[in-house]
Amino acid sequence: MSLLEIGKAIDTIWVLIASALVFFMQAGFAMVETGFTRAKNAGNIIMKNLMDFAVGSLVFWFLGFSIMFGVSKGGLIGEINLFSSGNFEHLGLGISKEAFLIFQTVFCATAATIVSGAMAERTKFISYLIYSFFISAVIYPIVGHWAWGGGWLSSLGFHDFAGSTVVHSVGGWSALIGAWIVGPRMGKYTKDGKTVTIPGHSITLGALGVFILWFGWFGFNPGSTLSGMDADSISHIFVTTNLAAAMAAVTAMVITWVKNGKPDVGITLNGALGGLVAITAGTDIVSAGGAVAIGFLAGFIVVFGAAFIDRVLKVDDPVGAVTVHGLCGAAGTIAVGIFALEGGLLYGGGAMLLLVQAAGVITIAIWTLATTYLLFSGIKATVGLRVNQKEEELGLDMEEHGIDGYADFEIRGVHAHSFS
């Protein structure tokens, strides 16, 4: 075996290991969403996180991958080759096409599954499957082509290393539109517009999910090097990823401690996730200090962004997905233009990179908001988007799937004769 073949084997194995870590993030999302919502919907959330990956894997292999990475047509869309056929030599990959396909598949699944938590506890299962199909087939792959597949954003120098915007903001903006169109959960807002807290049933599951996601991010970001031979870059990305998450968690904790007199567990957990999302765009080209600064920014956004979404926009997002993925993803991508060691505003690079980053964030937001508005509106007008009042009260586990998520489960304060 030649040195070139050995290098390709090492790179391929590294990408496959990273793919497995990112796949395990599906379990993290499932645990966060389950823990932050009520027990009567636990099975439904598990089912959504399972099936958005299953549906997304099939449709991304069938269509999405070629839209994202096929030969660019005008910088807007890749040449379509069904079933991911073709050799994709124009990408200049140093790994096998199949390894690249599975790595990109698990990224696609991440974008899709973000919406699950924001629309939890009141969305029809069939409607969620339809959404998962279209975001994996078209909405996400087109954005991916613009930034990563040789499209117009990449030609401008837009830098989103592992997907603060391409993956997370696409999921976050989709979540915003979905949660807005489906409407808030019953009892979330009083008649005079005041917010009512609906606590999740297990902070333990939520915390487990955050630890799994933090762990998986060590595949998400370092794996995006696509090379196991680039030891210095991999090590640097591990450090910046971890520091941003740590700083965001500390920041969110301190803010809630000062504001409320006690450190809030749920917001601190989301703070860590916000830091991970924010650093993902520039994790390879910012310093350790820059990562800490980005994490600090993300911590503030998680606390005050969630309050804005909930109390001002009146969008019911049970898990804070819009703030963590949409707002932190956008802010982290723009922050590349400030903190990048080469080209960043603070390092003498001028404003050009900052403007390019902002343009990319705004354009992708407009595309995602518009396409998901059409998608969710179409679903609502056809098969329907929301379960009925009885189903929502009794829980989606029993009404949508015919199971109890927990043995001997009994709904507090709800009696069968209430709907007779």
Side-chain angles (χ1 to χ4, degrees):
M1 182 180 288
S2 68
L3 290 177
L4 183 63
E5 290 172 327
I6 292 173
K8 182 177 180 179
I10 291 173
D11 291 345
T12 297
I13 291 170
W14 165 239
V15 171
L16 292 176
I17 292 172
S19 299
L21 288 171
V22 178
F23 168 72
F24 192 46
M25 291 171 69
Q26 287 290 122
F29 282 113
M31 293 300 98
V32 168
E33 294 168 19
T34 301
F36 283 6
T37 54
R38 289 169 289 186
K40 62 184 179 180
N41 300 301
N44 174 258
I45 287 176
I46 296 299
M47 192 69 165
K48 288 194 297 183
N49 279 272
L50 171 68
M51 294 312 299
D52 60 26
F53 181 79
V55 170
S57 292
L58 292 171
V59 73
F60 189 73
W61 164 70
F62 176 72
L63 177 63
F65 181 76
S66 66
I67 288 178
M68 192 163 172
F69 293 107
V71 175
S72 188
K73 300 299 182 181
L76 298 175
I77 190 171
E79 182 180 38
I80 296 176
N81 292 285
L82 298 182
F83 303 103
S84 301
S85 58
N87 54 34
F88 294 87
E89 289 182 352
H90 62 283
L91 297 176
L93 296 174
I95 58 175
S96 70
K97 184 186 78 174
E98 286 76 14
F100 188 64
L101 169 62
I102 191 62
F103 187 68
Q104 294 301 329
T105 297
V106 292
F107 269 55
C108 177
T110 299
T113 203
I114 289 166
V115 176
S116 173
M119 299 179 68
E121 303 199 296
R122 73 270 202 204
T123 304
K124 287 184 175 181
F125 181 65
I126 183 63
S127 303
Y128 184 77
L129 292 182
I130 295 171
Y131 147 79
S132 298
F133 178 93
F134 282 102
I135 192 173
S136 302
V138 179
I139 296 173
Y140 168 77
I142 286 179
V143 171
H145 182 77
W146 293 350
W148 293 343
W152 68 275
L153 273 178
S154 62
S155 67
L156 291 177
F158 179 73
H159 187 89
D160 187 2
F161 181 69
S164 287
T165 287
V166 174
V167 177
H168 293 280
S169 281
V170 166
W173 302 140
S174 302
L176 175 62
I177 293 297
W180 174 56
I181 292 179
V182 77
R185 292 167 291 173
M186 290 188 299
K188 175 60 181 175
Y189 299 105
T190 63
K191 292 182 179 179
D192 58 359
K194 292 182 179 179
T195 298
V196 177
T197 299
I198 302 177
H201 82 282
S202 176
I203 199 67
T204 307
L205 283 179
L208 175 62
V210 170
F211 281 117
I212 290 173
L213 287 168
W214 197 329
F215 174 71
W217 237 282
F218 293 131
F220 201 96
N221 286 357
S224 294
T225 59
L226 300 181
S227 173
M229 304 289 284
D230 195 355
D232 289 341
S233 291
I234 291 171
S235 301
H236 177 76
I237 293 167
F238 260 85
V239 170
T240 54
T241 298
N242 190 63
L243 286 175
M247 188 64 200
V250 170
T251 302
M253 178 193 70
V254 171
I255 293 173
T256 59
W257 208 335
V258 171
K259 281 183 62 191
N260 307 324
K262 296 180 180 179
D264 187 287
V265 180
I267 293 177
T268 302
L269 290 169
N270 264 351
L273 296 182
L276 289 164
V277 169
I279 193 59
T280 294
T283 182
D284 61 323
I285 59 172
V286 303
S287 67
V292 170
I294 291 171
F296 181 73
L297 174 64
F300 269 89
I301 291 172
V302 165
V303 176
F304 296 105
F308 177 79
I309 297 293
D310 188 30
R311 299 171 189 171
V312 178
L313 297 185
K314 303 295 183 185
V315 172
D316 181 15
D317 178 3
V319 303
V322 177
T323 305
V324 168
H325 300 279
L327 299 184
C328 289
T333 305
I334 293 172
V336 172
I338 300 172
F339 295 104
L341 294 172
E342 294 185 11
L345 189 64
L346 292 181
Y347 295 88
M352 182 55 66
L353 179 57
L354 181 61
L355 292 174
V356 169
Q357 295 297 106
V361 166
I362 292 169
T363 305
I364 290 171
I366 292 171
W367 161 260
T368 308
L369 292 169
T371 53
T372 53
Y373 176 80
L374 294 174
L375 175 59
F376 284 120
S377 296
I379 294 172
K380 183 178 180 179
T382 52
V383 300
L385 193 57
R386 185 172 184 135
V387 299
N388 62 41
Q389 180 181 347
K390 176 184 175 182
E391 292 169 335
E392 186 174 346
E393 283 278 7
L394 291 177
L396 274 60
D397 284 4
M398 183 57 67
E399 296 301 307
E400 286 272 84
H401 308 287
I403 62 155
D404 283 332
Y406 292 90
D408 302 320
F409 177 67
E410 184 176 338
I411 306 172
R412 294 178 182 175
V414 177
H415 304 285
H417 63 74
S418 298
F419 302 101
S420 60

